[in-house]
Amino acid sequence: MSNAIIEVHDLTVRYGNTVAVDGTSFEVRQGEVFALLGTNGAGKTTTLDVLEGYLQPSSGAVSVFGLDPSRDRDRLASRMGIMLQEAGFFETLTVRQTITAWRRFYDTPRSLADTVALVGIEHRLGTRVNALSGGERRRLDLGLALLGHPEILFLDEPTTGMDPAGRRDCLELVAGMVTEGLTVVLTTHYLEEAEQLAHRVAIMHRGRIRRMGTLGEVLTGASESTVSFDVPVLLAQRLPSGLDAHTEPRGSTTEITVRTADPETTLRALLGWAESHRTSLERLQVRRGSLEDVFLGLSDDDLPASGDGPARTSDPIPMGA
């Protein structure tokens, strides 16, 4: 029996003549982090808008906890936490006033003290929102999204504007809550965040999901690895035949980069060649194909143009108010 709490079947969203989401289908399971990846205009944010109940699909079917997110938005509000790309704060309120105002919209909200401690802004309680740094505003965003103890959390570019320490804290917080049963739908331009957090990823391109599965499934056979090293200039001309090698002069040495679908076999061959020529492979590195390689390698030749719709921000009043 499926434990999916989000089900999307043949979702299509149009803005006039522009198709932002083009027949997309997927599901999100209880207790997992599901990452939607793609370039600007891929359809990620539009898809989240539909899941969160802000936008009705042009066609297709979407359910969250078995409910229609647009029609049943009020029933779902208390079960969902939403962190948009940019929140619509009242800029002249302090952090304390902002959280206090938001708490009124939940039956059993987190306390003010717990909320600011959770996201590390307890020292900014008396600061007006318009005086917060970009990273601090994102921390406040996250605190508000977690205020009602949600069962599912939507994170749209959650760490944009955060410094490295803030990004680390945010990811560790989310990962910890997932171990306690929270379900997360994540969009991010930082692919390492998806690699660190996501149980499954879906790569969207021009409104369609082009690849989907666990990281291992998406990466398997999807991209080449590289073996790079330096050798003396004269030996660079005597490399084993059949290699897909790129050479780059570096003074007395040449940097060699070999692309290969079988890095282990290639590496063994190169080490044997180096031994036979009584040399070493200096600065040897083996880099396996990454999620970024898959992401950048997608071809769009067979796909029509589409867009992601207007950039979204939240209202100053949380969903369900």
Side-chain angles (χ1 to χ4, degrees):
M1 181 175 179
S2 173
N3 63 345
I5 59 176
I6 293 178
E7 295 180 286
V8 178
H9 299 288
D10 201 24
L11 173 64
T12 299
V13 179
R14 296 182 180 88
Y15 296 102
N17 294 326
T18 298
V19 180
V21 181
D22 189 6
T24 291
S25 298
F26 63 90
E27 63 180 31
V28 179
R29 301 162 189 162
Q30 175 71 43
E32 77 169 340
V33 178
F34 184 86
L36 275 174
L37 307 177
T39 56
N40 289 333
K44 310 181 302 297
T45 293
T46 296
T47 300
L48 289 193
D49 283 340
V50 174
L51 296 179
E52 295 160 358
Y54 290 119
L55 181 67
Q56 288 189 332
S58 302
S59 62
V62 176
S63 69
V64 179
F65 295 115
L67 301 171
D68 182 304
S70 179
R71 185 181 62 240
D72 301 312
R73 187 175 173 189
D74 288 345
R75 295 174 62 187
L76 287 170
S78 63
R79 306 178 71 179
M80 297 163 59
I82 300 173
M83 183 177 178
L84 303 182
Q85 290 183 27
E86 184 177 341
F89 294 127
F90 290 110
E91 296 288 325
T92 57
L93 294 185
T94 64
V95 169
R96 176 185 287 105
Q97 290 168 333
T98 299
I99 295 174
T100 299
W102 253 257
R103 292 186 73 249
R104 295 180 304 184
F105 299 104
Y106 298 97
D107 292 333
T108 56
R110 295 181 192 274
S111 70
L112 172 64
D114 286 347
T115 301
V116 293
L118 191 65
V119 295
I121 54 172
E122 54 267 59
H123 62 296
R124 301 293 268 168
L125 270 171
T127 304
R128 294 184 187 275
V129 169
N130 59 13
L132 297 176
S133 69
E136 289 168 340
R137 290 172 70 101
R138 294 308 278 160
R139 288 173 180 260
L140 178 57
D141 284 339
L142 180 58
L144 296 179
L146 295 171
L147 201 55
H149 304 279
E151 297 172 58
I152 184 167
L153 180 63
F154 293 98
L155 299 176
D156 198 356
E157 305 291 345
T159 63
T160 298
M162 288 186 179
D163 60 24
R167 289 179 61 194
R168 182 196 63 231
D169 293 345
C170 175
L171 297 180
E172 289 179 352
L173 171 60
V174 172
M177 299 186 80
V178 169
T179 65
E180 298 174 0
L182 181 67
T183 302
V184 176
V185 179
L186 166 73
T187 76
T188 179
H189 280 96
Y190 296 108
L191 299 185
E192 66 271 21
E193 291 184 0
E195 291 178 320
Q196 179 178 339
L197 280 180
H199 298 92
R200 291 188 301 133
V201 301
I203 301 178
M204 295 190 72
H205 190 61
R206 297 199 171 194
R208 299 181 188 176
I209 290 179
R210 303 294 303 280
R211 297 254 171 81
M212 182 165 59
T214 65
L215 281 173
E217 291 168 344
V218 169
L219 292 176
T220 298
S223 57
E224 294 180 326
S225 299
T226 59
V227 180
S228 62
F229 54 93
D230 290 354
V231 294
V233 171
L234 291 178
L235 286 180
Q237 302 171 13
R238 304 176 190 174
L239 289 173
S241 61
L243 294 179
D244 180 9
H246 172 77
T247 61
E248 184 72 29
R250 301 289 186 192
S252 62
T253 63
T254 299
E255 182 183 55
I256 310 292
T257 302
V258 178
R259 296 186 178 276
T260 175
D262 187 354
E264 288 83 3
T265 299
T266 299
L267 186 58
R268 283 196 298 268
L270 287 167
L271 290 172
W273 170 85
E275 183 177 2
S276 69
H277 286 79
R278 298 184 179 182
T279 191
S280 60
L281 306 180
E282 300 294 336
R283 297 199 308 135
L284 176 65
Q285 289 187 329
V286 179
R287 180 178 177 272
R288 294 188 176 274
S290 67
L291 187 57
E292 183 175 10
D293 295 324
V294 179
F295 187 84
L296 295 176
L298 291 175
S299 170
D300 61 358
D301 292 344
D302 60 337
L303 291 175
S306 70
D308 209 8
R312 62 183 189 155
T313 60
S314 69
D315 298 326
I317 303 299
M319 191 177 93

